[in-house]
Amino acid sequence: MPKTSSEAAVTGRHTTLHGPTMGTRWSATLDTDNTLDLAALRLDLAAAVAQVDEQMSPWKPDSDLMRLNRAPVGSWVDLPAEMLEVLDCALDVQGLSAGAFDPCVGDLVDAWGFGAVRDAPDADAIRAARQPRPPTGHAGLELERSAGRARKSTPLQLDLCGIAKGYAVDRMVAVLQRHGVRHALAALDGELRAVGRQASGAPWAVALERPEVGLRAVHGVIELEDLAVATSGDYRRFLRVGDARLAHTMDPRRRAPVNNAVASVTVLARTGMHADAWATALLVAGPDDGLAMAQRMGLDALFLLRRAEGLVALGLGRLGESAEPANG
């Protein structure tokens, strides 16, 4: 995910708590009084994001995700409720997006050099990962949330990087609310979620990054109140192979990295988990199918497209007023 800057958009006197996680940083900017125990709040926020990382990281061999990946086909695997919630949402978005979002692309991610296995594409691994999977329902993954378990019906490797950070932001919001915080902005990389407005009554203003390689510039500003926002793009994490630039997001239909005219997609939703997953799905779907999909689902989305004349913005729903060329 590309990073979206929140600090430059914040005005007034705020308290910001932050820390490292998932190869990046989390932060919570809040308005509060002197009765709040900031040290305890910071510990709880750090624990919340650490729990998501410990459960869903493809980089930690002992994570619950990797336990499920290693499990034999047909074997039930006990999983924490949080991970089952994310898997349930991931499979739902997979179905609604006609496979543009797919949590079962771990083999592709590794084969193309974006995972923990290798740092460059491997031709043999790519050929193996591109073999069609046998047709199964729900991506070959069965969930029993009431029993706290899941099992695979076909060999597959899950990767939740297109949804886990958004969910981590939701867990941060739950912590903030449990501590009685009513005005806050939680952020992790390109995913953010607002708790109410600022204490001043103003919405939380978030800068949307211009999707250009090697450039940190602002395309525009999005105002949030009790909403989450996530951005997916092709310009921050990629590999260069010869003259080609390969984005880290996988297109499960092509079984290859995303390669279309979409520079970035930003989505508003009630939760970070849904915003994150749909931003990934629309990026993969591309400029035509993605716009049609967003309209069909009634999503608030902003596409930044690469055209011959430069970047062009197309917005839908609450982001519709942003639909103007962005050449400045």
Side-chain angles (χ1 to χ4, degrees):
M1 286 290 185
K3 292 185 178 179
T4 303
S5 170
S6 61
E7 290 187 14
V10 175
T11 59
R13 297 181 62 185
H14 302 308
T15 298
T16 300
L17 306 174
H18 55 85
T21 189
M22 302 182 190
T24 181
R25 297 189 69 80
W26 64 265
S27 69
T29 302
L30 53 141
D31 292 331
T32 186
D33 55 42
N34 294 328
T35 63
L36 187 66
D37 187 338
L38 291 176
L41 175 58
R42 189 192 181 284
L43 286 174
D44 286 350
L45 288 168
V49 295
Q51 182 187 58
V52 175
D53 193 28
E54 289 161 6
Q55 291 179 0
M56 307 180 203
S57 173
W59 300 86
K60 295 179 181 294
D62 57 349
S63 71
D64 294 292
L65 175 74
M66 296 307 291
R67 282 198 304 111
L68 180 58
N69 280 344
R70 288 192 299 268
V73 170
S75 298
W76 286 106
V77 179
D78 293 333
L79 295 173
E82 296 86 359
M83 183 169 166
L84 285 166
E85 179 182 2
V86 172
L87 286 171
D88 194 26
C89 179
L91 294 177
D92 185 49
V93 175
Q94 181 192 31
L96 292 171
S97 68
F101 181 87
D102 188 343
C104 306
V105 293
D107 55 345
L108 283 172
V109 172
D110 286 334
W112 285 93
F114 293 106
V117 175
R118 55 181 62 85
D119 57 7
D122 181 275
D124 291 336
I126 290 170
R127 278 192 292 271
R130 297 189 75 170
Q131 295 301 311
R133 292 196 299 257
T136 56
H138 257 61
L141 185 67
E142 182 181 356
L143 307 181
E144 284 191 357
R145 292 186 64 179
S146 60
R149 62 184 190 172
R151 67 177 174 183
K152 301 178 294 186
S153 58
T154 188
L156 55 83
Q157 296 292 306
L158 289 117
D159 186 297
L160 297 175
C161 290
I163 191 172
K165 288 181 180 178
Y167 181 72
V169 170
D170 292 336
R171 302 308 301 166
M172 291 172 62
V173 166
V175 169
L176 289 163
Q177 293 173 331
R178 190 167 67 244
H179 279 257
V181 175
R182 295 183 298 137
H183 312 282
L185 182 67
L188 200 167
D189 213 12
E191 289 69 54
L192 301 96
R193 182 173 164 184
V195 178
R197 288 176 166 245
Q198 299 181 54
S200 66
W204 293 98
V206 175
L208 176 65
E209 194 171 66
R210 190 175 177 86
E212 295 187 13
V213 176
L215 177 68
R216 293 287 187 182
V218 174
H219 169 78
V221 175
I222 297 173
E223 295 183 336
L224 298 180
E225 176 186 1
D226 289 322
L227 277 176
V229 62
T231 298
S232 290
D234 68 352
Y235 61 99
R236 281 289 167 256
R237 190 179 173 206
F238 55 85
L239 289 174
R240 290 198 180 276
V241 179
D243 295 332
R245 182 164 57 87
L246 304 179
H248 77 284
T249 302
M250 293 294 122
D251 183 340
R253 303 161 306 175
R254 295 175 49 249
R255 307 294 290 171
V258 167
N259 181 20
N260 57 43
V262 181
S264 70
V265 182
T266 298
V267 173
L268 298 178
R270 301 303 302 179
T271 70
M273 176 171 64
H274 285 89
D276 196 3
W278 277 110
T280 302
L282 297 181
L283 174 70
V284 171
D288 297 323
D289 291 346
L291 280 165
M293 185 183 299
Q295 288 177 319
R296 183 177 70 251
M297 296 302 303
L299 298 175
D300 301 303
L302 176 64
F303 290 73
L304 296 183
L305 308 178
R306 291 193 177 91
R307 301 299 193 198
E309 65 271 27
L311 280 178
V312 173
L314 296 176
L316 300 172
R318 282 171 286 193
L319 296 177
E321 65 272 16
S322 299
E324 77 281 346
N327 298 310

